[in-house]
């Protein structure tokens, strides 16, 4: 009864439009009162959930990404991508996809990716004669690549939700091959759709221009190497790398690019603080929810339930993916990671599934929910930039969504794709 009450109150509050953090807190409080547990447990778990030192990396990476986004790096990355793939069919669409891969390595956020790259590319595509729905759909699905490449906030969040014992360096390494696979799949899809619609190509600027743009973009791309190599080599921890990333971003945008003025810097601080506040509030309230899941033995019940249906680990993975896809339609990625990790990670471990591999599956599955109504935050941002309705986008997004689903299934059933690189670098 307590388990049903916990999930029922949470689902009901989400349906009526209550923000996720408040819905988590209210559901936990009602369940605590029903179980006649002291309400001080809620305060203790909120404090414990938001007090982990590893979480400091999240606001610092958000801040570094905001600095780079407002300091001129996005324009340089787009120029580099344009010179590399602009001559392919549907040139600007291909530029948007490759730019998202580059910028994802700077921001680590799908929302920041679609805001920066989509905010620049969608109006350009519309101006050059591309249909608005194509411009929006290619940009929002390409933004999902940012979830998989360093410094992905969501992989850090997964590590924290898993108890903090998972190596963030291994998680970062595990996401690189799936990210490249997603980029390739979306570029092929973009080519097919562009060919069907008769879109043109961009003029190749010449190898000299490619070299010049590469040199201009290298300081921004260097942030990815700094973070990944530094953590992987053990030079600094994830938190230390996040602090170094902020200093590096300031040096690049203020000293080298000279584009981050005082006004932009203040806007960056405010925006990063707001984003951090939202994320950490969700983390804090999800800690109480997670504690109740453990107290009510939901993870062990989930293991028993799935074992009654499937004996193969791949069947279990398929069932989990289906459930996560359904949850992703009405739950944002961060709370989904925080709620589902304590439930499904023990199941994965019981079936011998590597926690690193499972983390990639969880994040990628939840990422598809970001471009799926009714709660797809990336979808809403992209359609707002493109000035079209969600319905218009949904009618033609299916080739890109299916490409993302195909990549998810390949990553799910071929774990070596995500585990190969961490093994090589071990």
């Amino acid at each position: 009864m307590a388990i049903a009450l916990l999930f029922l109150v949470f689902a009901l509050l989400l349906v009526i439009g209550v923000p996720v953090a408040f819905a988590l807190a209210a559901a936990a409080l009602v369940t605590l009162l029903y179980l006649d547990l002291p309400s001080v447990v809620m305060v203790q778990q909120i404090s414990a959930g938001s007090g982990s030192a590893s979480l400091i990396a999240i606001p610092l990476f958000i801040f570094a990404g905001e600095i780079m986004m407002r300091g001129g790096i996005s324009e340089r990355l787009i120029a580099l991508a344009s010179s590399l793939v602009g001559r392919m069919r549907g040139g600007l669409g291909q530029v948007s996809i490759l730019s998202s891969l580059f910028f994802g390595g700077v921001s680590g956020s799908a929302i920041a990716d679609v805001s920066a790259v989509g905010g620049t590319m969608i109006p350009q595509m519309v101006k050059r004669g591309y249909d608005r729905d194509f411009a929006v759909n290619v940009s929002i699905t390409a933004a999902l690549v940012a979830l998989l490449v360093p410094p992905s906030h969501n992989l850090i969040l997964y590590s924290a939700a898993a108890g903090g014992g998972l190596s963030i360096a291994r998680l970062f390494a595990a996401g690189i091959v799936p990210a490249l696979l997603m980029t390739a799949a979306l570029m092929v899809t973009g080519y097919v759709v562009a060919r069907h619609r008769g879109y043109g190509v961009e003029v190749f600027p010449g190898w000299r221009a490619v070299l010049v743009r590469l040199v201009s973009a290298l300081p921004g791309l260097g942030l990815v190497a700094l973070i990944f190599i530094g953590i992987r080599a053990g030079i600094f921890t994830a938190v230390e790398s996040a602090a170094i990333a902020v200093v590096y971003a300031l040096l690049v945008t203020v000293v080298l690019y000279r584009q981050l003025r005082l006004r932009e810097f203040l806007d960056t601080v405010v925006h990063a603080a707001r984003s951090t506040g939202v994320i950490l509030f969700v983390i804090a309230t999800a800690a109480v929810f997670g504690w109740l899941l453990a107290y009510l033995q939901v993870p062990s019940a989930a293991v028993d339930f799935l074992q009654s249906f499937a004996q193969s680990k791949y069947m279990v993975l398929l069932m989990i993916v289906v459930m996560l896809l359904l949850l992703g339609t009405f739950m944002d990625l961060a709370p989904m990671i925080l709620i589902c990790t304590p439930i499904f990670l023990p199941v994965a471990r019981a079936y011998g599934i590597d926690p690193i591999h499972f983390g990639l599956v969880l994040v990628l599955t939840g990422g598809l929910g970001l471009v799926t109504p009714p709660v797809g935050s990336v979808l809403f941002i992209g359609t707002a930039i493109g000035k079209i309705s969600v319905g218009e986008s949904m009618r033609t997004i299916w080739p890109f969504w299916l490409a993302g689903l195909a990549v998810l299934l390949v990553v799910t059933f071929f774990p070596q794709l995500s585990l190969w690189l961490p093994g090589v670098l071990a």
Side-chain angles (χ1 to χ4, degrees):
M1 182 63 187
I3 296 173
L5 182 64
L6 178 66
F7 285 103
L8 184 61
V9 172
F10 177 60
L12 180 62
L13 292 175
L14 284 183
V15 168
I16 64 176
V18 175
V20 172
F22 291 102
L24 287 168
L29 181 59
V30 169
T31 308
L32 283 171
L33 295 175
Y34 172 80
L35 293 170
D36 200 25
L37 293 172
S39 56
V40 71
V41 170
M42 186 165 184
V43 179
Q44 292 171 340
Q45 294 304 316
I46 285 177
S47 176
S50 57
S52 173
S54 62
L55 294 177
I56 298 174
I58 294 177
L60 290 174
F61 276 133
I62 290 174
F63 190 31
E66 288 285 339
I67 292 171
M68 298 295 273
M69 181 174 69
R70 297 170 189 269
I73 183 61
S74 58
E75 293 88 347
R76 287 169 172 83
L77 294 178
I78 290 172
L80 174 62
S82 178
S83 64
L84 293 174
V85 298
R87 54 182 167 171
M88 295 175 63
R89 178 70 66 177
L92 289 184
Q94 306 292 354
V95 171
S96 181
I97 296 168
L98 190 59
S99 298
S100 291
L101 173 64
F102 291 159
F103 191 76
V106 174
S107 69
S109 165
I111 291 177
D113 199 307
V114 75
S115 300
V117 177
T120 301
M121 291 304 304
I122 291 174
Q124 282 191 32
M125 281 191 273
V126 172
K127 186 177 179 180
R128 297 287 290 275
Y130 291 77
D131 296 312
R132 289 183 181 272
D133 62 327
F134 176 84
V136 168
N137 292 338
V138 75
S139 298
I140 62 177
T141 50
L144 302 185
V145 177
L147 302 174
L148 304 173
V149 293
S152 170
H153 311 152
N154 294 288
L155 291 177
I156 298 173
L157 198 58
Y158 169 72
S159 175
L166 298 181
S167 166
I168 292 176
R170 291 195 72 219
L171 282 168
F172 282 172
I176 291 175
V177 172
L180 295 175
L181 186 61
M182 177 70 83
T183 302
L186 292 175
M187 290 182 76
V188 170
T189 305
Y191 175 88
V192 173
V193 174
R195 186 180 180 88
H196 176 73
R197 296 193 181 190
Y199 297 144
V201 299
E202 301 298 304
V203 177
F204 180 58
W207 289 111
R208 179 182 175 83
V210 173
L211 181 60
V212 170
R213 294 175 185 182
L214 175 62
V215 171
S216 178
L218 272 179
L221 293 173
L223 179 63
V224 186
L226 177 69
I227 294 168
F228 182 71
I229 296 175
I231 297 177
R232 186 73 247 179
I235 300 173
F236 37 69
T237 65
V239 174
E240 291 167 346
S241 74
I244 291 170
V246 172
V247 176
Y248 180 88
L250 285 171
L251 289 175
V252 169
T253 55
V254 176
V255 178
L256 187 60
Y257 290 165
R258 298 183 180 180
Q259 285 191 230
L260 188 68
R261 306 301 182 202
L262 180 60
R263 180 58 183 269
E264 286 83 5
F265 177 74
L266 294 177
D267 289 341
T268 297
V269 172
V270 171
H271 197 275
R274 286 176 178 170
S275 300
T276 299
V278 171
I279 292 174
L280 291 183
F281 188 30
V282 172
I283 291 172
T285 53
V288 192
F289 199 94
W291 182 87
L292 278 169
L293 292 177
Y295 180 82
L296 297 170
Q297 299 182 348
V298 172
S300 59
V303 172
D304 295 337
F305 174 76
L306 289 175
Q307 282 180 335
S308 66
F309 283 92
Q311 300 302 318
S312 165
K313 70 176 183 179
Y314 295 108
M315 181 59 69
V316 169
L317 273 172
L318 181 60
M319 294 173 67
I320 291 175
V321 164
V322 171
M323 286 187 277
L324 292 175
L325 284 173
L326 293 174
L327 284 172
T329 61
F330 64 87
M331 188 180 296
D332 209 353
L333 182 54
M336 189 169 125
I337 292 171
L338 293 166
I339 294 170
C340 293
T341 299
I343 298 175
F344 292 122
L345 183 56
V347 177
R349 282 180 162 144
Y351 278 86
I353 299 167
D354 192 291
I356 299 293
H357 172 227
F358 178 75
L360 267 294
V361 172
L362 172 60
V363 170
L364 187 51
T365 309
L368 287 176
L370 296 177
V371 296
T372 308
V375 190
S377 53
V378 172
L379 170 65
F380 290 131
I381 293 172
T383 52
I385 294 171
K387 299 178 181 178
I388 63 172
S389 67
V390 171
E392 289 177 276
S393 174
M394 287 296 97
R395 280 194 290 271
T396 55
I397 198 176
W398 61 267
F400 297 98
W401 196 90
L402 288 178
L405 179 63
V407 172
L408 168 62
L409 293 177
V410 169
V411 171
T412 300
F413 295 116
F414 295 92
Q416 58 268 33
L417 287 173
S418 51
L419 298 178
W420 170 76
L421 189 56
V424 170
L425 297 175

